[in-house]
């Protein structure tokens, strides 16, 4: 019996040793031969997976392309300095107490820099198991430090606390830059790049330039800061905070727009102070047709998109009833058709003979020439012109002037796009919904910018540029060039024309209309603009609309300045205001032109 016990013990030892030997051999096999094999369901080897599982990382840069203004100021993808917190090194209890005492002064200073209490900072840091970029109180991103603050935080030398560069997509403020767009979570299989740990959700452009330029903006990988941690989530002693980047010298791409960021911000501020709630302001360079500012109200926050609110809609690209600014088209059509002249005499009694049309609230202008009728925006004069024209003539003239069709810059087979069109959300607008039958009542209403007519603020500003170019329509441009990350040029995107199959108006007609636009300011509906710093010219408009069954107005003023050497064309559309409201569009136009008068030439 004693021998049986010994045999059993010996057998058990042999089995145990065999199991241990198998495990040792298995581990050796894994370490020596299998560590470079890919783990099923991932793109990583066993060795890499082991390393990743002991890492804690935070994303510093998604790798998405940057958007800049015309002066290389960041619009999306600005690099900021921020405070980065990583788990503290593993220490004994006595050491922890000692470190807290020794770091107290530095932690108090850090709390002051971050704008929190010492207790809040201490509690946050002591419970940290994952890296943390200290959050901003505004928006979703981390807190931006000034250069001086960044240097001071680095000099404090607190364990696990450093200063790192972070690519902030947006600044957390609501603005009128709806043309920029916003990001949302990418659907599976879009080619978006996740971080090596698989914890990051790729984002994709959902509207504006973020969407239309998505193939160019999509990055090639994240840049991450990481450190090794133990099973308790504490940083391995001696483990430094490291940065891992894709290492591609060409990406992310840099995309340069025609926007002047400072000017954009100043006009946004003017619009808010003026009390504008809905509408748009567009500023174009008269020489190139480039978009220097495009402000849409109400403002939107690209980090807080509300689908039902609609603030993300770009009013500058959405068509609205234009009212009397469309009389520019009617006057052009009449002059081109030879059915009138500048000195033709009309009589306005305040009531047109038909179609229920009135003028100047029924008071009338009395006798006036066509030039005076344009300056005073007389409905009677333009109703009479409409009855001499056909619907086709009005439609063709509008198309020739860049209305009722897409006009923004686009190019075929460019940068990998079959058609590159940055402002893809642009609406065409309408002149007539139908020309059959050619109803005179419809023509009369159309001639004064009512009925079916709809124009975008971008088209309205470009209409002024077209007149300044003698009837030649330019395509408004918002994207001017693309470069690689190392500064090497990828492609320039030069401006071009946007001709119409309907042809163009003559230079003499364009000059005549420009002179009448000056008369609007000196002797017509825009006389309040005589006090502007520059001599300006333009055309006012008030369109009657219905919003949820209630009568409302769209107010417009479009024009240019300075008159002798035009630099800017501006359109202001104030939408959905009470019918008895003062004409805010005229006032805001003057404020914008005064602002533009302070911009140095060539800036």
């Amino acid at each position: 019996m004693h021998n049986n016990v010994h045999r059993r013990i010996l057998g058990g030892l042999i089995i145990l040793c065999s199991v241990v030997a198998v495990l040792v051999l298995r581990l050796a096999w894994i370490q020596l031969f299998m560590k470079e094999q890919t783990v099923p369901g991932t793109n990583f080897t066993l060795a890499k997976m082991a390393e990743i599982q002991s890492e804690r990382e935070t994303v510093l840069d998604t790798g998405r392309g940057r958007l800049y203004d015309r002066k290389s100021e960041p619009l999306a993808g600005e690099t900021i300095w921020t405070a980065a917190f990583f788990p503290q090194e593993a220490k004994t209890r006595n050491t922890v107490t000692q470190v807290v005492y020794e770091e107290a002064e530095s932690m108090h200073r850090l709390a002051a820099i971050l704008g929190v209490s010492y207790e809040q900072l201490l509690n946050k840091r002591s419970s940290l198991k994952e890296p943390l970029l200290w959050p901003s109180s505004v928006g979703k991103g981390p807190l931006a430090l000034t250069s001086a603050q960044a240097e001071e935080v680095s000099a404090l030398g607190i364990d696990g606390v450093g200063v790192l560069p972070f690519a902030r997509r947006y600044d957390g403020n609501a603005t009128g830059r709806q043309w920029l767009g916003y990001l949302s979570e990418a659907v599976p299989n879009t080619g978006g790049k996740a971080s090596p740990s698989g914890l990051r959700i790729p984002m994709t452009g959902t509207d504006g330039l973020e969407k239309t330029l998505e193939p160019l903006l999509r990055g090639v990988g994240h840049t991450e800061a990481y450190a090794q941690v133990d099973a308790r989530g504490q940083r391995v002693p001696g483990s430094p905070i490291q940065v891992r980047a894709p290492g591609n010298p060409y990406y992310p791409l840099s995309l340069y727009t025609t926007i002047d960021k400072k000017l954009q911000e100043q006009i946004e501020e003017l619009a808010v102070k003026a009390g504008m709630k809905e509408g748009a302001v567009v500023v174009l360079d008269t020489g190139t047709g480039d978009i220097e500012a495009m402000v849409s109200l109400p403002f939107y926050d690209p980090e807080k998109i509300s689908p039902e609110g609609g603030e993300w809609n770009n009013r500058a690209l959405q068509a609205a009833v234009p009212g009397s600014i469309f009389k520019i088209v009617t006057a052009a059509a009449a002059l081109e058709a030879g059915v009138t002249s500048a000195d033709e005499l009309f009589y306005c009694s305040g009531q047109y003979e038909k179609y229920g049309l009135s003028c100047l609230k029924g008071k009338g202008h009395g006798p006036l020439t066509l030039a005076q009728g344009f300056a005073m925006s007389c409905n009677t004069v333009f109703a009479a012109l409409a009855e001499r024209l056909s619907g086709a003539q009005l439609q063709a003239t509008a198309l020739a002037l860049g209305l009722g069709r897409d006009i923004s810059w686009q190019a075929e087979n460019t940068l990998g796009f079959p058609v590159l069109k940055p402002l893809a959300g642009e609406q065409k607008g309408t002149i007539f919904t139908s020309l059959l039958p050619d109803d005179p009542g419809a023509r009369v209403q159309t001639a004064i910018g009512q009925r079916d007519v709809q124009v975008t603020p971008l088209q309205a500003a470009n209409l002024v540029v077209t007149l300044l170019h003698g009837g030649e329509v330019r395509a408004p441009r918002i994207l001017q060039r693309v470069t690689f990350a190392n500064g090497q040029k990828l492609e320039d995107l030069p401006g071009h024309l946007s001709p119409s199959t309907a042809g163009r108006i003559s230079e003499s007609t364009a000059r005549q209309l420009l002179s009448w636009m000056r008369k609007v300011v000196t002797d017509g509906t825009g006389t309040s603009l005589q006090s502007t710093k520059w001599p300006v010219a333009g055309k006012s408009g008030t369109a009657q609309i219905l919003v949820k069954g209630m009568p409302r107005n769209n107010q417009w003023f479009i024009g240019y300045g300075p008159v002798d050497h035009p630099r800017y064309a501006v359109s202001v559309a104030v939408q959905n205001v009470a019918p008895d409201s003062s004409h805010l569009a005229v006032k805001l136009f003057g404020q914008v032109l005064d602002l533009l008068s302070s911009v140095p030439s060539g800036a």
Side-chain angles (χ1 to χ4, degrees):
M1 184 174 178
H2 184 71
N3 290 334
N4 287 338
V5 172
H6 277 286
R7 281 197 297 270
R8 288 174 184 171
I9 292 174
L10 181 62
L13 288 172
I14 291 172
I15 292 172
L16 182 60
C17 290
S18 299
V19 171
V20 172
V22 169
L23 290 174
V24 170
L25 290 172
R26 176 62 176 168
L27 288 172
W29 177 261
I30 291 173
Q31 289 289 330
L32 298 175
F33 301 103
M34 292 185 64
K35 66 178 182 178
E36 299 303 324
Q37 292 187 16
T38 302
V39 177
T42 75
N43 296 322
F44 308 111
T45 64
L46 278 172
K48 186 64 177 176
M49 284 298 293
E51 180 184 336
I52 288 173
Q53 288 173 355
S54 68
E55 290 178 359
R56 294 295 182 268
E57 96 287 347
T58 184
V59 173
L60 300 176
D61 188 345
T62 64
R64 192 167 180 82
R66 274 60 162 161
L67 285 161
Y68 296 95
D69 82 341
R70 65 193 300 116
K71 299 175 182 176
S72 301
E73 291 293 321
L75 295 169
E78 178 183 10
T79 299
I80 62 170
W81 291 105
T82 192
F85 289 70
F86 282 78
Q88 295 172 257
E89 286 190 359
K91 298 179 179 71
T92 65
R93 182 172 299 179
N94 291 338
T95 305
V96 170
T97 303
Q98 180 183 351
V99 168
V100 170
Y101 176 78
E102 292 174 348
E103 291 183 342
E105 184 177 351
S106 296
M107 288 289 285
H108 274 287
R109 180 56 193 152
L110 179 59
I113 293 172
L114 299 179
V116 296
S117 69
Y118 173 75
E119 290 73 19
Q120 287 176 307
L121 178 60
L122 201 62
N123 291 337
K124 192 74 172 179
R125 185 188 178 215
S126 61
S127 62
L128 202 62
K129 298 298 182 184
E130 299 283 342
L132 170 72
L133 300 180
W134 195 265
S136 170
S137 58
V138 179
K140 296 181 179 179
L143 177 68
L145 302 176
T146 65
S147 297
Q149 288 174 330
E151 290 179 6
E152 187 174 359
V153 171
S154 294
L156 291 175
I158 301 173
D159 176 44
V161 179
V163 175
L164 295 173
F166 177 81
R168 180 176 66 181
R169 196 66 192 169
Y170 310 115
D171 62 11
N173 295 316
T175 71
R177 305 175 207 169
Q178 283 83 346
W179 41 265
L180 193 59
Y182 59 94
L183 303 176
S184 60
E185 291 183 10
V187 297
N189 302 320
T190 59
K193 302 290 185 180
S195 67
S197 63
L199 298 176
R200 308 301 174 204
I201 300 173
M203 306 292 282
T204 187
T206 310
D207 197 52
L209 298 181
E210 294 278 25
K211 180 179 180 179
T212 58
L213 304 176
E214 173 63 27
L216 298 174
L217 293 170
R218 191 180 301 134
V220 295
H222 292 74
T223 295
E224 299 168 328
Y226 66 96
Q228 302 289 332
V229 298
D230 60 22
R232 294 176 296 174
Q234 294 180 315
R235 206 166 85 255
V236 175
S239 171
I241 298 171
Q242 302 181 74
V243 175
R244 175 171 48 223
N248 189 321
Y250 298 102
Y251 290 86
L253 297 178
S254 297
L255 287 72
Y256 293 86
T257 69
T258 61
I259 295 292
D260 184 323
K261 182 180 179 180
K262 181 180 179 181
L263 181 61
Q264 174 85 20
E265 292 172 345
Q266 290 174 320
I267 295 176
E268 289 174 358
E269 185 177 351
L270 282 178
V272 171
K273 287 184 176 179
M276 184 174 176
K277 305 297 183 184
E278 297 179 39
V281 179
V282 178
V283 177
L284 302 182
D285 181 301
T286 57
T288 61
D290 286 348
I291 301 168
E292 295 210 18
M294 184 188 287
V295 175
S296 176
L297 285 94
F299 289 171
Y300 89 123
D301 182 344
E303 295 178 333
K304 298 177 183 178
I305 295 299
S306 171
E308 63 276 3
E311 293 87 358
W312 49 271
N313 285 316
N314 188 351
R315 300 293 183 97
L317 300 180
Q318 294 186 319
V321 183
S324 293
I325 65 168
F326 192 79
K327 290 173 181 175
I328 294 173
V329 176
T330 306
L335 290 172
E336 292 288 283
V339 299
T340 188
S341 61
D343 55 359
E344 181 182 356
L345 194 63
F346 296 82
Y347 185 82
C348 173
S349 65
Q351 297 290 336
Y352 197 60
E353 296 175 357
K354 41 193 171 180
Y355 314 124
L357 191 67
S358 63
C359 188
L360 201 62
K361 297 182 180 180
K363 297 178 183 178
H365 292 101
L368 70 176
T369 64
L370 175 56
Q372 292 171 327
F374 186 96
M376 301 303 298
S377 201
C378 178
N379 286 340
T380 298
V381 170
F382 285 86
L385 295 180
E387 295 211 72
R388 303 175 191 177
L389 295 166
S390 68
Q393 286 173 312
L394 278 172
Q395 175 97 357
T397 304
L399 293 173
L401 290 169
L403 307 183
R405 61 186 178 94
D406 289 336
I407 56 163
S408 67
W409 186 98
Q410 60 181 295
E412 295 182 352
N413 302 316
T414 301
L415 291 168
F417 292 79
V419 177
L420 174 59
K421 192 174 191 296
L423 295 177
E426 175 194 12
Q427 294 182 356
K428 293 183 178 180
T430 56
I431 310 304
F432 293 96
T433 54
S434 174
L435 286 175
L436 296 174
D438 192 348
D439 177 62
R443 289 202 308 277
V444 166
Q445 290 294 322
T446 299
I448 62 172
Q450 293 282 164
R451 198 176 173 91
D452 303 329
V453 186
Q454 291 203 338
V455 173
T456 72
L458 177 62
Q459 289 174 335
N462 202 57
L463 169 60
V464 178
V465 175
T466 297
L467 296 178
L468 291 168
H469 282 263
E472 187 177 68
V473 183
R474 304 197 69 80
R477 184 179 63 150
I478 196 170
L479 184 65
Q480 57 176 317
R481 72 180 187 277
V482 180
T483 67
F484 291 111
N486 60 7
Q488 181 181 343
K489 183 177 71 175
L490 176 56
E491 190 152 354
D492 282 326
L493 305 168
H496 61 70
L497 302 180
S498 180
S500 169
T501 55
R504 53 173 288 180
I505 67 169
S506 65
E507 291 188 30
S508 59
T509 293
R511 285 195 301 271
Q512 183 74 83
L513 292 169
L514 290 172
S515 69
W516 291 349
M517 289 172 72
R518 176 57 180 162
K519 197 173 183 64
V520 168
V521 174
T522 58
D523 302 295
T525 57
T527 53
S528 62
L529 296 172
Q530 291 185 41
S531 61
T532 54
K533 296 177 182 177
W534 272 347
V536 300
K539 181 71 185 77
S540 62
T542 302
Q544 298 172 349
I545 59 172
L546 288 176
V547 177
K548 297 180 179 180
M550 297 293 292
R552 306 293 284 177
N553 282 354
N554 288 342
Q555 299 175 349
W556 294 76
F557 199 91
I558 66 175
Y560 63 97
V563 169
D564 296 334
H565 302 284
R567 289 177 55 190
Y568 298 101
V570 176
S571 71
V572 177
V574 181
Q575 300 173 352
N576 191 17
V577 298
D580 57 351
S581 300
S582 60
H583 210 291
L584 180 58
V586 175
K587 175 184 175 182
L588 187 52
F589 176 89
Q591 292 174 339
V592 171
L593 265 294
D594 279 347
L595 171 65
L596 293 171
S597 70
S598 66
V599 178
S601 180

